[in-house]
Amino acid sequence: MRKQVAAVLLCALLLALTACTSGTSTKDPPAASNSQNQPAANETNDPSTSPSNDPDETPAEDPTTAPANDPATTPSNDPSTTPDPSTDDPSTSPSNDPSNDPSTDPSTDPADDPSTTPEPGFTPPYTFEYPDAVRGIYVTGWSAGGERMKTLLQLVDDTELNAMVIDIKDDDGYITFKPEGELSQFGQAYIRDPGALLKTLHEHNIYPIARIVAFKDTVLAKKRPDLSYVLNGKVWRNGNGDGFINPFLKENWDHNIKAAILAAKAGFQEIQFDYVRFPEGFEKKDKVLDYSMGEYKDKKPAKFIEEEKAYAEAMAAYDAGLAPLQEAFDTAETAYNGAATDDNKAARDAAQKALSDYKKTKPEAPDFSEKARYTQLRVDAVTDFVQYAREQLKPYGVKVSVDIFGYSATLPEAPGIGQNFSRISENVDVISSMIYPSHWNDGYFGIKHPDTEPYRLVQEYAKREKEKLSALASPPISRPWIQDFTASWLKSGSYIRYGKEQVDAQIRALKDAGIHEYLIWNASNKYSANVNYTP
């Protein structure tokens, strides 16, 4: 009997143990079995480990070699750019598009990000001596991180060139290396090791300038439509497929400054902001696009304040001159009414003519319309950004330069895109006008086809720039961008093929005008041989 009871108890115990074990295995599968089916994030998203995203392993997509990006037809800081959406539009490459990563908001203040916060008494990793005069070339992130860099280093070593302008935030909005911190989501491993790059530049005594493309930013525009312009519910893009972010918004200022701080920390000696403007032709779209005015919504433009003061002073002076003339006429009129003699009539007529002539000099009231206000607020936003950027970058000891359309120096201002040459120049260390002969309309400066006369075009431009800069209390260094590409997109007969002779002509024209610094643009970084860089 005891054996039977024991057997029954033993069976019950075994059944209970089996049930417990079975319940555990069905509710909580081991974590290890799950992790085997989840590849690490850096194995799928990091271009440094993904062959499809590696510029060194995908030469067909390298903008220095892809036919769709040939600089002969598409210089990338050129408004005529027509990128191939299959390779240049981040919206077609979800795995590379930071806008698909909702984890980080770029709108926070730079001081909140430890990767961009300057250490007390910040000391750059390298010290570069400023050249006798900067003579530089443009270098893409692809080139700086690839095999072409060897050729470019050799070019600088063998010539009087001494500087490179290297993309750090490029025309799409990507950071051209993989930074830590908040901006990591925007990084692409075009430059695998920025520290090693700066070390190489230091060893070759090449003055390093970081190019930051400011308000042309397809990546951020797609990720944050509220920071861009919207049309019919979608992010607006220009005819070339480029997206832009809104200069009215301080969040966008800070986003660009964070990128600039990364460059400064890496050792770049100068930050060059490009696309510091609203999109071309914005004045024709500003009423159909949806966008925020930010802090500028209810502001009075700086020009309005200046014009109000000047108008008030002019009117006070006018009124002061008007009073005695009016009094003289009133006296002469009274005398004539009392005695209508010829002498009194002559005196009255003379007083009346003097009063009438003077009234024609009454100051004209400025245009304070809403249209004029919005126009001038664009100029304020662009100028304020430049001023703010320079202030934020002071702790890093870098120079600040801005690329600007050459025609902006020939006009009072270009308010459609928000560029005022003089106001921007007052807030930078270096001003770099893009004076490519191909960028001027036929007939400009009286030149039938500007692209065909590079020396004369540069010569005429330099006259206008000198007038503008000489009027400033502390003018910046003038360092124009010149052309080393063929503008074959222009109509036949209005362009010529560019090479040594044409580059020489532009440099010589600058020297003859007293301008000794310059930068040479070729979007694929293929530069003409045997150029005389110091005529």
Side-chain angles (χ1 to χ4, degrees), residues 50-194:
S50 173
S52 64
N53 295 332
D54 185 347
D56 291 332
E57 299 200 22
T58 56
E61 292 185 4
D62 183 337
T64 64
T65 58
N69 294 324
D70 186 342
T73 57
T74 59
S76 66
N77 68 347
D78 177 355
S80 63
T81 304
T82 52
D84 180 353
S86 67
T87 57
D88 287 1
D89 184 352
S91 67
T92 63
S93 181
S95 64
N96 289 340
D97 188 355
S99 65
N100 292 325
D101 179 3
S103 60
T104 306
D105 181 356
S107 63
T108 55
D109 189 86
D112 296 335
D113 185 357
S115 68
T116 59
T117 303
E119 300 83 1
F122 171 76
T123 302
Y126 300 99
T127 300
F128 293 79
E129 183 178 349
Y130 194 86
D132 62 309
V134 168
R135 298 177 291 274
I137 54 174
Y138 166 63
V139 179
T140 66
W142 291 89
S143 292
E147 287 298 312
R148 181 158 295 166
M149 192 60 171
K150 295 177 182 177
T151 302
L152 297 174
L153 288 170
Q154 193 67 51
L155 171 65
V156 177
D157 286 345
D158 293 346
T159 66
E160 296 84 4
L161 292 169
N162 54 30
M164 289 185 178
V165 179
I166 300 175
D167 277 345
I168 292 300
K169 179 173 178 274
D170 69 14
D171 291 68
D172 291 322
Y174 289 116
I175 306 298
T176 57
F177 60 93
K178 295 289 285 185
E180 296 179 354
E182 181 181 334
L183 291 182
S184 62
Q185 61 174 317
F186 295 95
Q188 295 290 312
Y190 305 150
I191 300 170
R192 294 184 180 277
D193 186 347

Side-chain angles (χ1 to χ4, degrees), residues 241-321:
D242 303 316
F244 288 78
I245 55 176
N246 183 356
F248 282 127
L249 302 181
K250 189 169 177 289
E251 295 178 54
N252 290 331
W253 298 6
D254 288 335
H255 181 66
N256 285 299
I257 289 165
K258 290 173 188 177
I261 290 174
L262 288 176
K265 283 191 168 186
F268 282 91
Q269 302 292 288
E270 183 173 318
I271 306 299
Q272 181 190 94
F273 292 103
D274 199 358
Y275 283 90
V276 185
R277 59 177 176 83
F278 286 79
E280 272 196 288
F282 187 79
E283 67 276 13
K284 299 176 182 177
K285 308 177 183 71
D286 63 338
K287 294 296 184 267
V288 298
L289 298 175
D290 293 325
Y291 59 95
S292 172
M293 294 284 290
E295 298 176 0
Y296 291 85
K297 181 179 179 181
D298 300 315
K299 271 191 174 182
K300 181 182 290 186
K303 187 174 181 179
F304 277 22
I305 296 172
E306 294 172 0
E307 288 181 335
E308 282 178 348
K309 180 181 178 182
Y311 180 63
E313 292 174 350
M315 280 302 299
Y318 171 80
D319 289 340

Side-chain angles (χ1 to χ4, degrees), residues 244-486:
F244 288 78
I245 55 176
N246 183 356
F248 282 127
L249 302 181
K250 189 169 177 289
E251 295 178 54
N252 290 331
W253 298 6
D254 288 335
H255 181 66
N256 285 299
I257 289 165
K258 290 173 188 177
I261 290 174
L262 288 176
K265 283 191 168 186
F268 282 91
Q269 302 292 288
E270 183 173 318
I271 306 299
Q272 181 190 94
F273 292 103
D274 199 358
Y275 283 90
V276 185
R277 59 177 176 83
F278 286 79
E280 272 196 288
F282 187 79
E283 67 276 13
K284 299 176 182 177
K285 308 177 183 71
D286 63 338
K287 294 296 184 267
V288 298
L289 298 175
D290 293 325
Y291 59 95
S292 172
M293 294 284 290
E295 298 176 0
Y296 291 85
K297 181 179 179 181
D298 300 315
K299 271 191 174 182
K300 181 182 290 186
K303 187 174 181 179
F304 277 22
I305 296 172
E306 294 172 0
E307 288 181 335
E308 282 178 348
K309 180 181 178 182
Y311 180 63
E313 292 174 350
M315 280 302 299
Y318 171 80
D319 289 340
L322 177 66
L325 292 175
Q326 184 67 55
E327 183 179 355
F329 172 74
D330 291 343
T331 300
E333 179 77 1
T334 300
Y336 177 73
N337 290 336
T341 65
D342 290 343
D343 288 344
N344 284 346
K345 182 179 184 302
R348 185 203 64 174
D349 291 347
Q352 186 177 40
K353 184 177 187 308
L355 179 62
S356 177
D357 289 345
Y358 184 79
K359 285 183 176 180
K360 294 176 183 178
T361 69
K362 183 178 180 179
E364 184 177 352
D367 179 6
F368 293 136
S369 66
E370 276 298 281
K371 180 179 180 181
R373 187 174 81 89
Y374 284 120
T375 296
Q376 287 305 314
L377 286 175
R378 289 197 290 272
V379 176
D380 284 356
V382 169
T383 305
D384 292 347
F385 163 71
V386 175
Q387 186 178 38
Y388 178 78
R390 193 183 194 187
E391 188 65 30
Q392 294 297 310
L393 290 168
K394 275 184 179 178
Y396 302 93
V398 293
K399 290 185 181 297
V400 172
S401 57
V402 162
D403 295 340
I404 190 169
F405 277 138
Y407 72 78
S408 295
T410 71
L411 306 170
E413 62 186 5
I417 59 174
Q419 286 189 342
N420 181 303
F421 181 88
S422 297
R423 290 181 63 186
I424 290 175
S425 295
E426 287 174 329
N427 290 286
V428 295
D429 301 294
V430 180
I431 192 73
S432 290
S433 288
M434 296 175 286
I435 62 173
Y436 317 119
S438 60
H439 279 38
W440 303 83
N441 293 332
D442 284 354
Y444 218 101
F445 300 130
I447 306 173
K448 185 176 181 180
H449 300 305
D451 189 68
T452 65
E453 298 188 52
Y455 180 91
R456 185 180 169 197
L457 182 282
V458 172
Q459 185 182 48
E460 291 298 327
Y461 168 81
K463 294 176 185 177
R464 276 65 172 186
E465 183 185 86
K466 185 177 181 179
E467 291 174 2
K468 284 288 184 76
L469 293 181
S470 63
L472 303 180
S474 299
I477 295 170
S478 172
R479 188 196 298 154
W481 279 102
I482 61 175
Q483 174 175 331
D484 191 4
F485 57 86
T486 298

